[in-house]
Amino acid sequence: METQSCVEVKNEWGIVAARQAGRTLSKELGFGNVDQARITTAISELARNIYLYAQRGEIKIEIVEDKGKFGTKKGIKIIASDLGPGIPDLRQVMVDGFTTSSGLGAGLPGVRRLMDDFNIESEVDKGTTITATKWLR
């Protein structure tokens, strides 16, 4: 699908802009208030991680379709990417409570729980790309 929105994250205003873009698109697509909040929260966590750990990156938001045997379903896909330091131990960052900052450690495990599909790819000194999708019910 095509990118509906692409927000550069290099400061706190980028986090706000990414959240707003996600909320607007999820509302336009027909997501209810609870799923809009889930999507917005996931975007916020991903954008904040970019800002804290990589200093710069982007959040792409796409409308996606999946044609299955029970019909076509629509969703919203979030792609958070950066060229930062990468994540040396993916398993460790996906453990609830693990944090390298003063945060609560709910970031990436929380995003995984909020969204329906979640994938993370990271290479040390090359960056990280996280893809998360929420399907319209």
Side-chain angles (χ1 to χ4, degrees):
M1 298 275 16
E2 67 184 60
T3 300
Q4 301 294 315
S5 185
C6 184
V7 178
E8 184 179 14
V9 177
K10 60 181 178 181
N11 53 37
E12 296 215 4
W13 290 112
I15 298 168
V16 172
R19 284 177 53 92
Q20 186 58 46
R23 180 170 296 282
T24 299
L25 189 58
S26 62
K27 187 175 184 176
E28 288 173 4
L29 200 54
F31 281 97
N33 289 335
V34 172
D35 279 339
Q36 287 177 42
R38 287 180 176 131
I39 292 164
T40 303
T41 301
I43 290 171
S44 183
E45 289 291 334
L46 294 170
R48 185 160 301 285
N49 280 354
I50 289 171
Y51 177 61
L52 288 175
Y53 301 111
Q55 284 75 52
R56 175 171 292 210
E58 64 183 18
I59 300 283
K60 291 181 185 174
I61 305 169
E62 302 175 348
I63 294 174
V64 292
E65 288 185 358
D66 182 26
K67 297 181 192 320
K69 73 176 166 183
F70 299 111
T72 301
K73 63 181 179 176
K74 283 190 170 188
I76 191 166
K77 180 188 283 189
I78 313 304
I79 303 165
S81 58
D82 66 67
L83 298 175
I87 302 169
D89 188 344
L90 288 177
R91 218 181 311 195
Q92 187 177 37
V93 299
M94 293 308 296
V95 171
D96 280 316
F98 175 78
T99 182
T100 57
S101 68
S102 59
L104 299 175
L108 294 179
V111 171
R112 181 176 57 192
R113 281 190 300 275
L114 290 168
M115 303 297 277
D116 297 320
D117 300 327
F118 179 89
N119 183 58
I120 182 169
E121 296 175 12
S122 189
E123 194 172 337
V124 174
D125 295 328
K126 294 199 176 175
T128 301
T129 299
I130 298 170
T131 305
T133 305
K134 189 73 171 169
W135 296 104
L136 192 55
R137 299 184 204 313

